[in-house]
Every structure is written in C-alpha cells, then in structure tokens.
C-alpha cells in the first residue's frame, strides 16, 4: 500500500459507457454535421476538436469554452 491512486470508480449505471463521448458540447457547422452523417466522416468543431457525429455529449453537458468563445466572436461580425 503506497500512494493512493485515484481511479474511476467501477460503478455500473443504466447508461451506456461513454468513455469515448465528449464531456462537453462542441459547436459544429450544420452543413458539416449533415455531411458527416452521410459520409461517416469526422466533423471539426470551431475549436478544432475532431470527432465523429455519432458521439454526442450528454444532455446538460457544458458547452466547450473554446467553441463558445469562437462562436461569440463570430456573432459579433
Ligand atoms: Zn469545442
């Protein structure tokens, strides 16, 4: 018994494991989402994050701060 290692508790919930899913929402251009859904390609969020559209953040997840910042700057123009 040496140092304590913080591990993700192995609890089972009624939700599917979403280790791969983003913990935040990213802003992605709508036409990119449509294209990705058809082509199965990855989308690039405003912040540069690349992920397939099949990954969706949980409802209530916070918006990616980088995406939000960029989005708000875009709206100013
Ligand atoms: Zn983002």
């Amino acid at each position: 018994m040496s140092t304590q290692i913080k591990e993700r508790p192995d609890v089972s919930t009624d939700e599917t494991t979403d280790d791969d899913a983003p913990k935040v929402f990213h802003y992605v251009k709508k036409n990119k989402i449509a294209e990705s859904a058809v082509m199965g390609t990855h989308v690039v969020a405003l912040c540069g994050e690349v992920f397939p559209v099949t990954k969706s953040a949980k409802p209530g997840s916070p918006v990616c701060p980088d995406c939000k910042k960029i989005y708000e700057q875009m709206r100013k123009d």
Side-chain angles (χ1 to χ4, degrees):
M1 287 258 265
S2 53
T3 49
Q4 273 195 324
I5 301 167
K6 264 196 179 175
E7 281 184 81
R8 180 181 287 225
D10 188 19
V11 290
S12 55
T13 65
D14 55 353
E15 291 178 85
T16 54
T17 51
D18 58 350
D19 285 350
D20 236 13
K23 298 291 183 289
V24 294
F25 286 109
H26 292 279
Y27 284 126
V28 180
K29 286 177 181 165
K30 271 183 185 167
N31 60 333
K32 287 290 179 190
I33 296 174
E35 184 186 302
S36 176
V38 174
M39 307 290 286
T41 53
H42 287 34
V43 291
V44 182
L46 294 181
C47 65
E49 183 84 17
V50 180
F51 55 93
V53 281
T54 49
K55 290 183 187 175
S56 55
K58 285 182 186 178
S61 297
V63 174
C64 168
D66 288 339
C67 279
K68 198 175 180 182
K69 204 160 59 185
I70 296 165
Y71 180 69
E72 280 168 3
Q73 277 175 356
M74 284 168 65
R75 284 176 63 194
K76 281 179 192 168
D77 293 335

